[in-house]
Amino acid sequence: MAIETSQIKFAESEKTGELIGFVSRHSKTKKLKGVRENSTFGKKICVLSGDLKGTIIPNILYDVELKAMHRGNGYVVVSARPRQFKARIEKVTVPKAIYRLKVTFGNKTVYFDPKHGKSDSSRTLEGVLDILASRVDIEEPDSVLAEFKEEGIALIKQMEADGFLVPKSNKNQRK
């Protein structure tokens, strides 16, 4: 049997508790494409092989290799690697108004906004660094973390120079 490739996000099955994904065959290219469970296209289930169980993180995009089931009613995932995306760091500042760093990778965006952040994880440099460190879908994560920390410290210094009081949790990050 031939091995096919695709990209899939896995989710927990409500019936069995196992991680599953779904694919649909594109009508023109005949390639398998990952789809959501509620997709209206004809789809087939993808289950994990025994050696992959316990190694997959739900809701992360994976590059997978699939082997058709014997009766043709689905696929077995024989290999899965998290899809990694190049991260871009963008600084947005308007003196005395906006101080924000934005990291984008794939279709995800993570913000560091010490002035207007809505949660501790977006208001503090440590919170954003923890989020970025936990992601498995960032290409070259060590260099991204180092660059983000450097940019974050510079942003905090710029805020202080503009006369804003910076939360203590951010001041501790400059060491």
Side-chain angles (χ1 to χ4, degrees), residues 17 26 33 43 47 89 101 109 111 127 130 139 156:
H26 191 277
K33 299 285 183 186
K43 61 186 176 288
V47 296
I89 299 173
L101 278 179
T109 303
Y111 293 96
D130 287 347
E139 203 173 275
I156 291 167

Side-chain angles (χ1 to χ4, degrees), residues 27-97:
S27 60
K28 292 188 180 171
T29 65
K30 303 299 181 199
K31 290 187 177 186
L32 290 175
K33 299 285 183 186
V35 295
R36 297 181 191 274
E37 185 173 7
N38 60 0
S39 171
T40 58
F41 298 107
K43 61 186 176 288
K44 293 193 177 190
I45 193 166
C46 297
V47 296
L48 298 173
S49 65
D51 57 331
L52 289 177
K53 289 184 181 183
T55 65
I56 301 296
I57 302 168
N59 299 314
I60 298 284
L61 186 63
Y62 282 86
D63 289 321
V64 297
E65 291 182 344
L66 304 167
K67 188 175 175 183
M69 292 180 182
H70 294 295
R71 293 192 180 150
N73 54 354
Y75 294 90
V76 176
V77 179
V78 294
S79 124
R81 290 174 315 287
R83 178 85 170 150
Q84 295 194 317
F85 300 96
K86 185 152 184 65
R88 285 191 1 247
I89 299 173
E90 183 182 329
K91 187 177 187 178
V92 178
T93 57
V94 175
K96 302 190 184 216

Side-chain angles (χ1 to χ4, degrees), residues 8-22:
I8 300 175
K9 282 186 179 181
F10 295 94
E12 191 172 316
S13 166
E14 291 178 9
K15 293 178 183 176
T16 64
E18 296 285 328
L19 289 179
I20 57 172
F22 293 91

Side-chain angles (χ1 to χ4, degrees), residues 1 19 35 58 68 73 120 128 133 166:
M1 281 189 196
L19 289 179
V35 295
N73 54 354
D120 284 342
V128 177
V166 178

